Amino acid sequence: MPDQPDPVGGTAAQVPPADSGPRAPRTRRELRAAEQAAAASKSKAGRDLPAAIAVGLVLLGAVLVGLFWFPLALLAMVVVLAGLGSWEVARATSHVRTAVPLTPVLLACALLPAAAYFGGLQALGFAYLGSLLLAVLFRIMQALGFAYLGSLLLAVLFRIMEGLKGASASIMASVFIISWVPLLLSFAVLLLADEKGRWLIASMLLLVVANDTFGYIVGVLLGRHPMAPKVSPKKSWEGFAGSMLGAMVIGALCAQYLLQMPWWTGLILAVFIVVAATTGDLSESMVKRELGIKDMSNLLPGHGGVMDRLDSVLFSVPLTYLASHLIDWVTTYS
């Protein structure tokens, strides 16, 4: 049946249907506009802020429960977080065609915190050296494979040289991951041996949260001058100043009411933590930029991966350990 003319010209088939709601974007321009609108709906800092806050509070609550009621649960949490973080970094290195054997790395994630918990600093040092040696030997043996079986001497030598050449980057990556994640995180377990260790860890976590929170607020409102535009364009000097001032207030309160120490010791601890947390954040951003990725993974909503949450903590833990000894020395001889 032919199309019937409508009152204003044309045919009935040309009359658009009634608008029944938003339609899906079809062109590239519409898709790009939809992506930009979705990005604009997020916070200026580039993350889903409500999800980030919720995940952060859950993790903080779980750590505090293990810290004050179940020390072994805290040890288990350190092992799990170190394992997940190391897995993320090892997985990310595949973007630059560097294969990291997970077996020695994950063994180190369990061995180092356990050594720190049961044997202290010396045991941690021996466990660290043993983990590095295991990672090197494991990768060399993996590179050699079964070239010895049924091969002539020349073929064996060629396979050895080829395998070792390919293994060098993998070995360095394994050493880097073990040194970055399980070793630094194990200092939290060492702090438990201190008389005020639990409160030191709690204060450190509060200071890391204060660093992120005040830095985010001030950076969003006043941020104009990037700290490292090529590494982390959204981190500004104004945000760093906000982190420092806010953390110093929290640090003074923690020293006075949690650690039972002079208020000014909290200022020292806050300076250590803010510098360490900022360095850790920038370091992870640099690693991700070198690997060409945005997030280590998508395990944690609003954060990306476990390493995107641990980046500020990893450098803060050993600095807290050092700061606690420095503060003890200062308060003893002052």
Side-chain angles (χ1 to χ4, degrees):
M1 180 177 180
D3 296 329
Q4 300 295 325
D6 70 347
V8 295
T11 63
Q14 294 172 332
V15 178
D19 187 10
S20 59
R23 66 180 179 86
R26 297 174 183 174
T27 67
R28 290 185 178 180
R29 180 177 297 177
E30 290 175 333
L31 287 171
R32 193 180 304 113
E35 291 174 355
Q36 291 174 351
S41 65
K42 292 186 177 182
S43 66
K44 185 178 177 180
R47 60 165 113 169
D48 186 349
L49 189 58
I53 293 175
V55 170
L57 289 176
V58 169
L59 290 176
L60 180 61
V63 170
L64 292 178
V65 168
L67 190 61
F68 292 103
W69 286 280
F70 304 106
L72 284 176
L74 179 65
L75 174 62
M77 184 173 296
V78 168
V79 171
V80 170
L81 290 176
L84 289 174
S86 298
W87 168 79
E88 286 180 348
V89 181
R91 174 175 168 269
T93 58
S94 63
H95 289 82
V96 291
R97 297 183 179 181
T98 299
V100 176
L102 281 175
T103 301
V105 173
L106 294 181
L107 283 175
C109 292
L111 180 61
L112 267 61
Y117 185 85
F118 293 106
L121 183 60
Q122 287 185 340
L124 175 61
F126 282 114
Y128 171 64
L129 294 177
S131 297
L132 296 186
L133 181 60
L134 177 64
V136 171
L137 293 178
F138 187 93
R139 188 61 185 89
I140 291 176
M141 295 304 297
Q142 190 180 50
L144 297 181
F146 296 98
Y148 291 104
L149 301 178
S151 299
L152 297 175
L153 180 60
L154 183 61
V156 171
L157 292 176
F158 179 78
R159 181 66 181 90
I160 289 175
M161 296 303 297
E162 183 183 31
L164 291 179
K165 180 180 178 181
S168 59
S170 177
I171 290 172
M172 293 304 297
S174 298
V175 171
F176 170 70
I177 294 172
I178 293 172
S179 304
W180 185 22
V181 187
L183 176 64
L184 297 184
L185 205 54
S186 294
F187 278 86
V189 182
L190 285 178
L191 280 169
L192 290 176
D194 192 281
E195 182 182 354
K196 299 177 181 178
R198 289 179 171 83
W199 293 109
L200 276 169
I201 296 175
S203 299
M204 178 206 68
L205 293 175
L206 289 173
L207 288 171
V208 169
V209 172
N211 171 75
D212 290 343
T213 303
F214 287 105
Y216 169 79
I217 294 173
V218 176
V220 167
L221 295 177
L222 304 175
R224 297 292 184 274
H225 301 87
M227 289 185 69
K230 293 185 179 180
V231 177
S232 182
K234 290 170 183 156
K235 189 171 291 296
S236 65
W237 285 107
E238 291 83 358
F240 178 76
S243 295
M244 186 66 73
L245 293 175
M248 290 176 77
V249 173
I250 300 300
L253 294 174
C254 288
Q256 191 74 29
Y257 296 105
L258 296 184
L259 301 175
Q260 307 301 318
M261 299 170 70
W263 64 269
W264 54 267
T265 59
L267 303 183
I268 298 176
L269 186 60
V271 172
F272 271 85
I273 295 301
V274 171
V275 172
T278 303
T279 303
D281 191 8
L282 291 174
S283 298
E284 199 224 8
S285 297
M286 186 180 300
V287 170
K288 291 191 294 186
R289 183 169 291 272
E290 289 294 324
L291 295 176
I293 58 177
K294 183 178 183 297
D295 294 317
M296 287 294 183
S297 74
N298 57 357
L299 291 178
L300 301 179
H303 292 283
V306 172
M307 284 300 296
D308 297 302
R309 182 68 277 173
L310 286 180
D311 54 359
S312 299
V313 175
L314 288 174
F315 280 38
S316 299
V317 174
L319 262 293
T320 301
Y321 182 81
L322 293 176
S324 65
H325 287 74
L326 175 63
I327 291 172
D328 286 342
W329 182 82
V330 171
T331 53
T332 300
Y333 293 98
S334 61

